[in-house]
């Protein structure tokens, strides 16, 4: 039997949990907005046309800050098209996804949807086809109280109170040749710095996110961050990171260790950011916004013919159906984000509905939870207070892509009267008998012990079998004298919560 142990000590404190780590992303892409969150003809739609069955699932998922409206879409977006009377809004071509955008949902409607889900808006400006003036106009429209041309336009459009958006992304993936209007690091850095300065002249309390690399595999990775920050360091607050993972060539062992790449990504960006900060003798520290992360079977999408050539409205694109193994990796990525929470202060699961998403819908029909829904919703619900990176003593295994990887990964959070432990077992075949030393926290009872595991690691929830995969009780978990003992099934994600009587 494989054995492992975990020890959680207050001395290994990482950071205080910021709810922004549980953000997500809604892009005007395929069926994320149209027939995803918005479908006026749906039986559950409210007066704004938003599906309330989806709202309920989003609340259960526990997402917080939602990045909007793109993604690649934002680099061709004219925000003015998406406000005012709906019947007057133009239909435009979206070059990023080769579809038609009807603009029936815009910033004012989206803010109303966010209120239904108790979420915060994180807005991206277009620095692909547009520039400083349009960014300032959007900021004025959204955030200025009244008495100016654009704030009065918002009021005339029916939104009396300003949206009060604090977090703004300065474009999207500007290092990617696929991006409409992509630029060199020098060009983008100069434009982002001027845009940031102007936006902060309007409101110095904004928190601005400058574009980092679209992935750790980009040829410019590292150099891009350095150059962009040399221009923008004193004007921005976050730099973005984007990472997507998938199983390749049947190598499940490497896929299950994907979080090692995320760790490499974070370590490299932190080193680069701090190098620039020191070089500039700045007293400021730039944080990381991991504002796109998920599992995405991108290779398969590229090889398929699903990208239509006919300019459709809300075509079916990127509707990945996730397996148990995908959910285990997603849960592990979330563990990694928490372990790095000292510097990763914001993150957005990409995306929220239908498009590489934890929630799926059918037009006129059901909404259901994908496998990946479960580790996200439980972590968002249980992670409270302070993050601890525990000491993990576990056997390792060899991966073709990431070298040696621990069979077990874990992170711990605690507040005054509760402790939560999040766990993965990456073994393809072996259960792991685990002890978790929580003696420092004087917990007196286990309140939850849940696992996501299935004998078929490729089991999925589908429209015809929407509850094929769900959380199960982790039988046999026990707490004795502050030490939890339990058995982690192979290829599993688990969570344990304990309570302290005061
Ligand atoms: O999330 C899907 C796409 O992935 C986004 O539009 C883009 O930013 C990234 O390449």
């Amino acid at each position: 039997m494989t054995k492992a142990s975990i020890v959680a000590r207050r001395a290994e404190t990482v950071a205080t949990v910021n709810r922004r780590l549980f953000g997500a992303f809604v892009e005007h892409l395929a069926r994320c907005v149209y027939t995803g969150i918005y479908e006026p003809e749906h039986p559950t739609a409210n007066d704004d046309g938003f599906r309330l069955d989806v709202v309920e699932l989003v609340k259960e998922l526990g997402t917080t800050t939602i990045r909007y409206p793109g993604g690649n879409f934002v680099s061709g977006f004219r925000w003015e098209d998406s406000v005012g009377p709906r019947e007057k809004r133009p239909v435009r071509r979206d070059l990023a996804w080769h579809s038609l955008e009807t603009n029936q949902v815009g910033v004012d409607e989206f803010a109303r949807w966010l209120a239904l889900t108790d979420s915060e808006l994180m807005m991206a400006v277009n620095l692909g086809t547009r520039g400083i003036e349009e960014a300032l106009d959007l900021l004025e429209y959204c955030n200025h109280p009244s008495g100016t041309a654009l704030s009065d336009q918002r009021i005339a459009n029916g939104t009396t109170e300003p949206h009060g958006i604090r977090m703004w992304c300065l474009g999207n993936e500007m290092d990617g040749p696929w991006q409409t209007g992509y630029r060199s690091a020098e060009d983008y850095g100069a434009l982002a710095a001027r845009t940031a300065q102007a936006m902060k002249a309007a409101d110095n309390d904004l928190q601005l996110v400058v574009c980092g690399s679209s992935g750790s595999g980009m040829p410019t990775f590292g150099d891009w961050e350095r150059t962009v920050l040399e221009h923008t360091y004193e004007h921005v607050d976050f730099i973005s990171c984007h990472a997507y993972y998938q199983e390749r060539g049947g190598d499940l062992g490497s896929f299950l260790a994907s979080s090692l790449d995320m760790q490499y990504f974070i370590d490299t960006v932190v080193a680069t950011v701090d190098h620039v900060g020191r070089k500039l003798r700045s007293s400021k520290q730039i944080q990381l916004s991991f504002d796109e992360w998920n599992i995405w079977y991108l290779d398969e999408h590229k090889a398929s013919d699903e990208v239509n050539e006919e300019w459709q409205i809300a075509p079916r694109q990127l509707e990945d159906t996730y397996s148990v193994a995908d959910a285990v990796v997603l849960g592990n990525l979330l563990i990694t984000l928490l372990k790095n929470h000292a510097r990763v202060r914001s993150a957005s699961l990409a995306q929220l509905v239908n498009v590489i998403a934890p929630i799926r819908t059918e037009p006129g029909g059901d909404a259901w939870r994908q496998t990946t829904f479960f580790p996200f919703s439980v972590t968002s619900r249980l992670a409270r207070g302070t993050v601890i990176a525990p000491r993990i003593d576990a056997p390792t295994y060899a991966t073709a892509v990431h070298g040696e990887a621990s069979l077990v990964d874990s992170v711990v959070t605690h507040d005054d009267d509760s402790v939560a432990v999040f766990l993965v077992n990456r073994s393809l075949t072996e259960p792991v008998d685990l002890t978790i030393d929580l003696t420092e926290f004087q917990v007196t009872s286990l309140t939850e012990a849940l696992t996501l595991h299935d004998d078929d690691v490729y089991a999925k929830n589908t429209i015809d079998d929407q509850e094929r995969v769900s959380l199960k009780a982790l039988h046999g978990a026990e707490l004795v004298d502050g030490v939890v003992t339990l058995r982690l099934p192979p290829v599993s994600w688990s969570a344990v919560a304990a309570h302290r009587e005061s």
Side-chain angles (χ1 to χ4, degrees):
M1 180 55 64
T2 307
K3 291 185 186 304
S5 63
I6 290 176
V7 180
R9 295 279 181 255
R10 289 175 198 273
E12 306 303 327
T13 291
V14 173
T16 302
V17 178
N18 181 330
R19 303 293 304 154
R20 276 187 178 157
L21 201 70
F22 303 105
F25 177 32
V26 167
E27 177 167 6
H28 281 250
L29 193 183
R31 297 198 313 112
C32 185
V33 173
Y34 304 109
T35 72
I37 66 169
Y38 174 81
E39 190 182 345
E41 305 77 22
H42 194 272
T44 69
N46 70 2
D47 290 347
D48 270 326
F50 290 122
R51 287 182 62 153
L52 296 182
D53 58 343
V54 175
V55 165
E56 284 312 308
L57 284 179
V58 171
K59 282 160 72 173
E60 183 185 327
L61 183 64
T63 48
T64 53
T65 307
I66 310 283
R67 184 165 172 257
Y68 176 84
N72 297 340
F73 169 81
V74 81
S75 294
F77 180 51
R78 309 180 201 198
W79 70 267
E80 306 88 329
D81 292 346
S82 75
V83 297
R86 275 179 163 148
E87 64 283 3
K88 293 194 176 152
R89 298 184 192 176
V91 174
R92 298 272 187 199
R93 293 185 307 177
D94 166 27
L95 302 185
W97 302 104
H98 228 251
S99 56
L100 292 184
E101 172 56 51
T102 63
N103 285 301
Q104 292 305 291
V105 173
V107 58
D108 294 325
E109 292 84 19
F110 192 65
R112 289 203 288 279
W113 181 81
L114 286 168
L116 295 174
T117 61
D118 298 326
S119 317
E120 177 195 9
L121 179 49
M122 174 184 187
M123 182 71 100
V125 301
N126 174 358
L127 292 186
T129 58
R130 309 190 106 186
I132 301 171
E133 184 169 285
E134 294 89 348
L136 289 176
D137 284 352
L138 180 58
L139 178 61
E140 180 187 327
Y141 182 89
C142 289
N143 280 8
H144 196 79
S146 65
T148 67
L150 293 171
S151 57
D152 286 347
Q153 188 185 329
R154 183 197 69 239
I155 293 166
N157 289 339
T159 306
T160 318
E161 292 301 314
H163 294 305
I165 304 166
R166 305 262 48 94
M167 277 191 94
W168 294 75
C169 303
L170 300 168
N172 176 69
E173 294 191 349
M174 299 303 293
D175 62 329
W178 58 85
Q179 199 69 214
T180 308
Y182 86 100
R183 292 164 184 264
S184 68
E186 281 289 348
D187 287 354
Y188 170 68
L191 174 62
R194 290 198 298 270
T195 308
Q197 260 182 297
M199 291 176 78
K200 287 212 171 168
D203 181 350
N204 202 33
D205 284 339
L206 300 180
Q207 293 178 301
L208 301 181
V209 186
V210 73
C211 291
S213 292
S214 315
S216 62
M218 293 298 288
T220 50
F221 179 51
D223 284 341
W224 173 273
E225 281 79 359
R226 180 182 49 75
T227 308
V228 164
L229 285 171
E230 280 167 359
H231 286 278
T232 58
Y233 199 93
E234 294 301 339
H235 310 300
V236 302
D237 305 279
F238 292 88
I239 186 158
S240 70
C241 304
H242 291 181
Y244 294 98
Y245 299 97
Q246 68 167 101
E247 184 183 342
R248 290 193 167 90
D251 183 0
L252 182 56
S254 292
F255 178 50
L256 289 168
S258 296
S259 67
L260 271 66
D261 177 77
M262 182 183 252
Q263 186 63 55
Y264 159 77
F265 194 161
I266 293 168
D267 290 343
T268 310
V269 174
V270 167
T272 308
V273 165
D274 290 349
H275 164 77
V276 176
R278 295 285 171 91
K279 206 172 91 175
L280 297 176
R281 297 184 184 280
S282 176
S283 56
K284 178 175 170 182
Q285 195 179 54
I286 303 286
Q287 309 300 357
L288 276 54
S289 168
F290 223 112
D291 49 40
E292 287 188 32
W293 67 274
N294 205 347
I295 318 304
W296 182 3
Y297 284 84
L298 188 54
D299 293 356
E300 285 72 1
H301 289 292
K302 281 183 180 160
S304 82
D305 59 0
E306 71 173 12
V307 177
N308 68 89
E309 299 297 331
E310 293 176 26
W311 304 107
Q312 298 169 34
I313 296 168
R316 286 182 188 267
Q317 278 175 268
L318 312 185
E319 298 193 3
D320 284 13
T321 303
Y322 292 117
S323 68
V324 170
D326 295 327
V328 171
V329 173
L330 183 138
N332 199 166
L333 295 173
L334 209 37
I335 287 171
T336 305
L337 292 171
L338 278 163
K339 279 195 196 181
N340 290 278
H341 199 22
R343 297 304 294 272
V344 180
R345 298 301 293 166
S346 179
S348 309
L349 176 69
Q351 299 193 3
L352 189 56
V353 183
N354 288 329
V355 176
I356 46 172
I359 297 169
R360 289 283 292 275
T361 69
E362 271 302 299
D366 292 343
W368 66 96
R369 301 166 189 81
Q370 294 235 52
T371 56
T372 52
F373 185 100
F374 300 107
F376 192 102
S377 62
V378 174
T379 310
S380 175
R381 179 169 61 81
L382 293 179
R384 293 274 175 254
T386 304
V387 182
I388 288 178
R391 204 187 69 219
I392 302 169
D393 188 2
T396 61
Y397 70 109
T399 72
V401 178
H402 308 290
E404 283 295 305
S406 172
L407 280 181
V408 174
D409 198 9
S410 175
V411 73
V412 174
T413 66
H414 73 97
D415 61 13
D416 288 346
D417 50 17
S418 68
V419 177
V421 187
F422 306 97
L423 301 148
V424 288
N425 175 6
R426 295 174 176 144
S427 170
L428 302 185
T429 51
E430 297 299 313
V432 172
D433 277 342
L434 183 69
T435 61
I436 310 169
D437 180 344
L438 300 177
T439 44
E440 270 199 11
F441 302 93
Q442 290 144 13
V443 284
T444 47
S445 59
L446 279 186
T447 48
E448 293 189 53
L450 300 165
T451 192
L452 191 84
H453 160 78
D454 197 284
D455 289 343
D456 176 5
V457 297
Y458 296 109
K460 298 172 176 175
N461 291 342
T462 62
I463 183 166
D464 297 323
D465 198 355
Q466 298 174 11
E467 297 182 4
R468 165 70 183 79
V469 178
S470 60
L471 292 165
K472 295 173 187 148
L474 191 58
H475 293 299
E478 278 185 353
L479 172 70
V480 178
D481 295 336
V483 177
V484 179
T485 52
L486 50 79
R487 178 169 289 183
L488 296 175
V491 191
S492 64
W493 173 92
S494 306
V496 174
H499 181 73
R500 180 173 63 204
E501 294 294 332
S502 34

